[in-house]
């Protein structure tokens, strides 16, 4: 980048010049150029005529600044006098600047000052701004100083910025020009050139403070944002916040020390969000993007969005129960719930607000049940699982196998698993082999669920009734629930535990305020899951059948709705919607999509029912804490095919007298047409039954939608 003699940035349009001005106004306000997390900082240096900091009165530190950045040349007759400038960002100075106060007019062109700013970036261009105060109305109105530089190149040879007009108001930085830095500290020499300067009249010369701001052209280009879903099983990256004038989007990935480009979009760039084709996404890497407007690319950020391993990693789940004095019925909206305590059911350790020891749920190829009940029932953990190689054909030579063991028993019709599965060491052999697994027996256990790892995760299982198992590689299921579907009962903890408070849920009734998901590992996701058939005891109080597909805020809010946890998530995906693409029973479920914005243990999501009215699927539903609270959950493993959509509902027809009665289950739009081939249009009816009155209504044909 170059600068010309008119103090303009060569090669930059007026639009860019304006944007640079705005950027540096921001710098002046903040004191340093922090534009966005992950963006580079512009170097900013101040030089002042008076000592900086530590002096409360002039008498404590009289004379000019002696830190090596300022010098008075040629016997310039200046002293400590006058008012200092007040522009935001400038360093704290003693009460007064240096001022020409001699009664003899200044006419010697060899007199002036030198400034030596310690600029941090060799070869960079710096904008020079000046600030002083002329509010007393007694400074020179026409002073002009010449300007030269050693070890640097100035864009100007003289300046009028010490004239009275530029010091009132005294809180403004005035653009003096630009300097291209050399290889070391430059020296800028200001000398008297012309104008009336006399301390005995109304023509004083005040020498105060300069600011040097590194000009970084890329900072003038608006920042864009990489959102989700972002994972290794995709070749697309979504870049949001693209400007309508952008012509290029470049996506970068950092796996080690620096960002390298992995994809570019140069055609079809539109304002807002754009999908960019990329290659080589790596789990745990950071991905960032820039946009180019004209010929100027934005700054490549120093941090980006983490790449996940793909939907769905394991996740922790707990319920939030809000205390209430209401007493049912199950599923009814609570009336008394304000300012009541909140408890995590299914956890007993809270860290930075998150239920970090909540129950772990693994992905499965089938719908699974997640259930919690307040009570005293639990089952202890197994321990000391050991695998012994036996010379029986089963696993191939050099195969590796490990297992986890969970004890289980059944309480109130729910199978309870031990909280912490004990994991074996990896077993292998140079020859074909089988394994004798053994572990300590657990008192009260009805059996044990074993999870096997031969492909990089524990995604196969088998149930056994004793505390040993001969494993010849057969008998493991791969298309069934492969994880414990619930954990120890009677764990609860207040959201904000305080000394003297118990962590037990009081009373028989509570409010199901939210279903909470918490991070398990270093995998950010994304998550793509379905919830159906919310049940308390024997009562199923939410099936989502009474909402049209596509309905939001029905039963639950969107993932980012809760301000408590929205900061833990990427801005997209952010899906919370009733869908007919998957269902445990019927034709509907609630579809949830989100992705963690980081990997620390405090990442959690509060999928809340709060504020959802009774017409939107009953917000704040009441639950009987003596009975299990269950959901049906579809959490497919990464790479699994999309769920098969349930069949469309049946449209039944019957005749009542001369009228025709149509009926169907749940909420679906009724479409009608006068011809069997259509067109079919909605008639505004959503719930059956519907009567077609004869002979008033003509012949029509009907279909259901959503």
């Amino acid at each position: 980048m170059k600068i010309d003699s008119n103090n303009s940035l060569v090669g930059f349009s007026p639009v860019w010049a304006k944007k640079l001005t705005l950027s540096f106004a921001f710098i002046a306000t903040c004191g340093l150029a922090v534009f966005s997390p992950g963006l580079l900082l512009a170097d900013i240096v101040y030089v002042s005529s008076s000592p900086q900091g530590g002096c409360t009165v002039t008498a404590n530190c009289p004379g000019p600044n002696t830190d090596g950045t300022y010098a008075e040349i040629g016997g310039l007759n200046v002293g400590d006098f006058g008012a200092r400038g007040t522009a935001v960002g400038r360093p704290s100075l003693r009460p007064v600047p240096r001022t020409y106060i001699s009664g003899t007019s200044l006419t010697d062109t060899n007199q002036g000052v030198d400034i030596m700013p310690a600029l941090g970036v060799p070869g960079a261009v710096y904008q020079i701004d000046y600030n002083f105060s002329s509010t007393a109305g007694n400074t020179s109105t026409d002073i002009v100083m010449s300007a030269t530089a050693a070890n640097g190149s100035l864009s100007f040879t003289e300046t009028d910025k010490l004239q009275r007009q530029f010091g009132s108001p005294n809180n403004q930085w005035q653009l003096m020009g630009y300097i291209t830095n050399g290889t070391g500290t430059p020296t800028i020499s200001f000398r008297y050139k012309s104008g009336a300067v006399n301390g005995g009249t109304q023509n004083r010369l005040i020498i105060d403070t300069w600011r040097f701001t590194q000009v970084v052209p890329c900072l003038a280009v608006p920042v864009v944002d990489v959102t989700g879903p972002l994972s290794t099983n995709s070749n697309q990256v979504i870049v949001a916040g693209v400007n309508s004038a952008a012509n290029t989007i470049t996506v970068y990935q950092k796996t080690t020390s620096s960002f390298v480009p992995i994809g570019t979009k140069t055609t079809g760039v539109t304002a807002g969000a754009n999908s960019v084709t990329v290659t080589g996404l790596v789990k745990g890497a950071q991905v960032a993007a820039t946009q180019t407007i004209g010929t100027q690319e934005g700054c490549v950020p120093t941090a980006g969005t983490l790449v996940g391993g793909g939907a769905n990693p394991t996740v922790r789940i707990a319920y939030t129960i809000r205390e209430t004095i209401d007493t049912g019925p199950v599923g009814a909206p609570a009336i008394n719930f304000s300012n009541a305590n909140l408890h995590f059911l299914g956890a007993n350790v809270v860290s930075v607000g998150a239920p970090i020891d909540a129950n772990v749920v693994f992905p499965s190829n089938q719908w699974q049940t997640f259930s919690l009940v307040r009570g005293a029932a639990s089952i202890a953990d197994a321990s000391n699982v050991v695998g012994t190689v036996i010379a029986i054909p089963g696993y191939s030579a050099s195969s590796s196998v490990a297992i986890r063991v969970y004890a289980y028993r059944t309480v109130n019709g729910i199978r309870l698993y031990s909280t912490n599965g004990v994991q074996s060491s990896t077993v292998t052999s140079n020859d074909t082999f089988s394994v004798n697994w053994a572990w300590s027996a657990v008192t009260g256990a009805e059996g044990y669920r074993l999870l096997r790892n031969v492909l990089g995760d524990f995604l196969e299982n088998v149930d056994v009734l004793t505390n040993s198992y001969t494993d010849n590689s057969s008998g493991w299921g791969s298309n069934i629930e492969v994880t414990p579907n619930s954990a120890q009962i009677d764990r609860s903890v207040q959201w904000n535990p305080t000394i003297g408070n118990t962590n037990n849920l009081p009373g028989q009734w509570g409010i199901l305020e939210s279903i909470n998901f918490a991070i398990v590992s270093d995998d950010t996701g994304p998550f793509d899951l379905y919830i159906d058939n919310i049940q308390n005891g024997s009562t199923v109080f939410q099936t989502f059948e009474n909402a049209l597909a596509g309905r939001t805020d029905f039963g639950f809010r969107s993932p980012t709705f809760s301000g408590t946890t929205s900061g833990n998530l990427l801005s997209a995906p952010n899906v919370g919607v009733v869908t007919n693409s998957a269902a445990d029973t019927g034709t509907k479920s609630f579809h949830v999509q989100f992705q963690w914005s980081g990997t620390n243990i405090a990442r959690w999501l509060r999928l809340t029912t709060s504020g959802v009215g009774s017409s939107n699927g009953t917000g704040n539903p009441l639950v009987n804490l003596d009975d299990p609270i269950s959901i049906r959950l579809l959490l497919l493993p990464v790479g699994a095919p999309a769920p098969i959509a349930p069949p469309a509902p049946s449209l039944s027809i019957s005749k009542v007298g001369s009228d025709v009665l149509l009926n169907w289950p749940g909420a679906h739009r009724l479409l009608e047409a006068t011809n069997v081939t259509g067109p079919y249009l909605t008639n505004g009816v959503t719930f059956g039954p519907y009567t077609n009155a004869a002979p008033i209504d003509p012949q029509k044909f009907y279909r259901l939608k959503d």
Side-chain angles (χ1 to χ4, degrees):
M1 179 171 55
K2 298 180 180 179
I3 45 183
D4 64 19
S5 59
N6 295 317
N7 294 339
S8 298
L9 296 172
V10 177
F12 277 71
S13 69
V15 172
W16 289 118
K18 291 178 182 177
K19 288 185 176 180
L20 282 169
T21 300
L22 289 173
S23 296
F24 295 127
F26 179 89
I27 294 171
T29 299
C30 296
L32 51 103
V34 182
F35 287 86
S36 175
L39 281 182
L40 55 85
L41 303 179
D43 184 34
I44 300 177
V45 176
Y46 296 90
V47 174
S48 59
S49 64
S50 299
Q52 298 180 12
C55 300
T56 57
V57 294
T58 303
N60 292 340
C61 49
N65 188 355
T66 58
D67 66 359
T69 64
Y70 172 82
E72 294 165 357
I73 306 299
L76 183 67
N77 192 358
V78 292
D80 300 331
F81 192 80
R84 62 182 179 180
T86 62
V88 175
R90 55 176 280 157
S92 174
L93 306 180
R94 70 179 180 199
V96 296
R98 300 287 282 173
T99 303
Y100 188 89
I101 56 175
S102 173
T104 302
S105 295
L106 177 60
T107 58
D108 188 348
T109 58
N110 293 314
Q111 292 187 354
V113 298
D114 286 352
I115 59 175
M116 290 72 71
L119 305 183
V121 184
V125 175
Y126 284 78
Q127 177 175 314
I128 307 173
D129 298 292
Y130 185 70
N131 175 241
F132 76 110
S133 175
S134 63
T135 56
N138 58 3
T139 58
S140 175
T141 61
D142 59 355
I143 174 66
V144 175
M145 303 286 280
S146 64
T148 59
N151 197 33
S153 176
L154 289 172
S155 68
F156 57 101
T157 58
E158 62 182 43
T159 181
D160 60 357
K161 292 304 181 290
L162 284 74
Q163 293 177 5
R164 184 185 302 176
Q165 61 176 314
F166 298 109
S168 181
N170 62 3
N171 62 351
Q172 302 296 314
W173 289 106
Q174 299 293 338
L175 174 63
M176 187 171 280
Y178 298 88
I179 184 171
T180 301
N181 191 22
T183 58
T185 299
T187 297
I188 304 174
S189 299
F190 295 98
R191 300 292 184 266
Y192 172 81
K193 181 177 182 179
S194 64
V197 176
N198 190 305
T201 65
Q202 296 299 301
N203 292 302
R204 291 173 179 165
L205 172 63
I206 295 181
I207 303 172
D208 197 332
T209 300
W210 290 261
R211 180 184 66 185
F212 294 79
T213 305
Q214 182 189 356
V215 176
V216 184
C218 64
L219 288 175
V221 180
V223 178
V224 293
D225 182 35
V226 171
T227 65
L230 182 63
S231 62
T232 56
N233 60 340
S234 174
N235 67 347
Q236 299 294 310
V237 170
I238 306 301
V239 181
V242 176
N243 191 280
S244 60
N247 53 61
T248 303
I249 303 171
T250 306
V251 176
Y252 295 84
Q253 179 173 245
K254 182 168 73 173
T255 56
T256 53
S257 60
S258 61
F259 279 97
V260 296
I262 58 171
T264 302
K265 183 172 186 176
T266 58
T267 60
V269 177
T270 59
N274 288 253
S275 182
V276 181
T277 301
V278 300
T279 57
L281 288 173
V282 177
K283 179 184 174 183
Q286 298 181 47
V287 173
T290 64
Q291 62 179 332
T292 299
I293 301 178
T295 60
Q296 180 61 56
E297 182 182 4
C299 302
V300 178
T302 59
T305 303
L306 293 178
V307 180
N312 289 294
T314 55
V315 67
R316 296 184 185 275
I317 301 181
Y319 300 145
T320 289
I321 304 297
R322 186 186 292 271
E323 294 179 21
T324 183
I325 60 173
D326 293 345
T327 57
V330 168
I335 298 174
N336 299 288
F337 58 86
S338 62
N339 300 320
N341 291 325
L342 295 168
H343 300 254
F344 288 119
L345 178 59
N348 55 22
V349 179
V350 177
S351 177
V352 197
I356 63 171
D357 68 333
N359 313 291
V360 176
V361 175
F362 293 80
S364 171
N365 290 314
Q366 293 184 345
W367 286 87
Q368 55 184 302
T369 300
F370 180 84
S371 185
L372 295 171
V373 58
R374 183 199 65 178
S378 62
I379 181 71
D381 297 317
S383 62
N384 302 320
V385 59
V386 176
T388 303
V389 171
I390 56 176
I392 298 176
Y395 291 96
S396 59
S398 299
S399 293
S400 297
V401 60
I403 68 169
R404 285 180 184 156
V405 179
Y406 292 83
Y408 67 80
R409 69 187 182 106
T410 303
V411 177
N412 295 331
I414 299 173
R415 178 183 281 191
L416 300 183
Y417 292 90
S418 54
T419 303
N420 300 302
V422 59
Q423 186 168 319
S424 73
S425 299
T426 300
V427 175
T428 187
S429 174
N430 293 328
D431 300 312
T432 57
F433 67 102
S434 294
V435 184
N436 275 339
W437 301 105
W439 54 92
S440 61
V442 175
T443 302
E446 297 173 357
Y448 305 87
R449 169 154 291 187
L450 314 185
L451 303 183
R452 180 177 71 161
N453 182 352
V454 291
L455 298 173
D457 205 345
F458 292 87
L459 295 177
E460 296 174 298
N461 78 317
V462 66
D463 289 349
V464 299
L465 299 179
T466 63
N467 59 317
S468 64
Y469 179 63
T470 299
D471 175 16
N472 63 2
S473 186
S474 63
W476 295 89
S478 61
N479 193 36
I480 61 173
E481 178 184 337
V482 295
T483 65
N485 57 27
S486 64
Q488 181 181 345
I489 293 177
D490 195 28
R491 294 193 305 151
S492 63
V493 60
Q494 285 191 12
W495 268 31
N496 300 297
T498 58
I499 296 175
N501 282 350
T502 65
N503 287 319
N504 296 323
L505 280 163
Q508 181 182 1
W509 292 89
I511 301 166
L512 181 60
E513 194 278 341
S514 59
I515 297 176
N516 308 299
F517 301 88
I519 196 167
V520 172
S521 64
D522 61 353
D523 195 337
T524 63
F527 289 84
D528 189 346
L529 57 94
Y530 301 84
I531 298 171
D532 202 358
N533 289 329
I534 304 176
Q535 183 172 345
N536 182 206
S538 61
T539 303
V540 178
F541 62 88
Q542 182 58 269
T543 64
F544 304 100
E545 297 299 321
N546 287 333
L548 295 172
R551 178 76 176 272
T552 59
D553 293 335
F554 188 95
F556 298 98
R557 298 288 195 171
S558 66
T560 62
F561 174 82
S562 172
T564 305
T565 59
S566 59
N568 299 327
L569 310 175
L570 297 181
S571 60
N574 179 38
V575 174
V577 63
V578 176
T579 182
N580 56 10
S581 62
D584 178 42
T585 59
T587 62
K588 310 284 179 61
S589 65
F590 194 76
H591 190 193
V592 181
Q593 291 180 310
F594 66 92
Q595 186 162 0
W596 304 121
S597 59
T599 57
N600 63 62
I601 62 171
R603 303 284 170 175
W604 68 292
L605 160 61
R606 177 187 179 194
L607 191 69
T608 182
T609 68
S610 178
V612 177
S614 58
S615 63
N616 293 339
T618 307
N620 298 300
L622 291 167
V623 287
N624 187 334
L625 299 175
D626 291 339
D627 293 328
I629 306 168
S630 306
I631 61 172
R632 291 284 283 168
L633 180 71
L634 183 60
L635 185 71
L636 293 170
V638 62
I644 299 174
S650 300
L651 181 60
S652 64
I653 184 170
S654 60
K655 199 166 185 181
V656 180
S658 59
D659 296 336
V660 175
L661 184 70
L662 302 177
N663 208 353
W664 60 93
H668 301 276
R669 290 188 179 94
L670 183 64
L671 307 182
E672 63 181 33
T674 56
N675 295 297
V676 69
T677 56
Y680 284 84
L681 303 174
T682 180
N683 64 1
V685 177
T686 301
F687 294 94
Y690 170 74
T691 300
N692 184 304
I696 300 174
D697 292 336
Q699 172 181 284
K700 290 184 180 179
F701 300 87
Y702 294 90
R703 290 180 178 175
L704 292 177
K705 182 182 179 181
D706 301 329

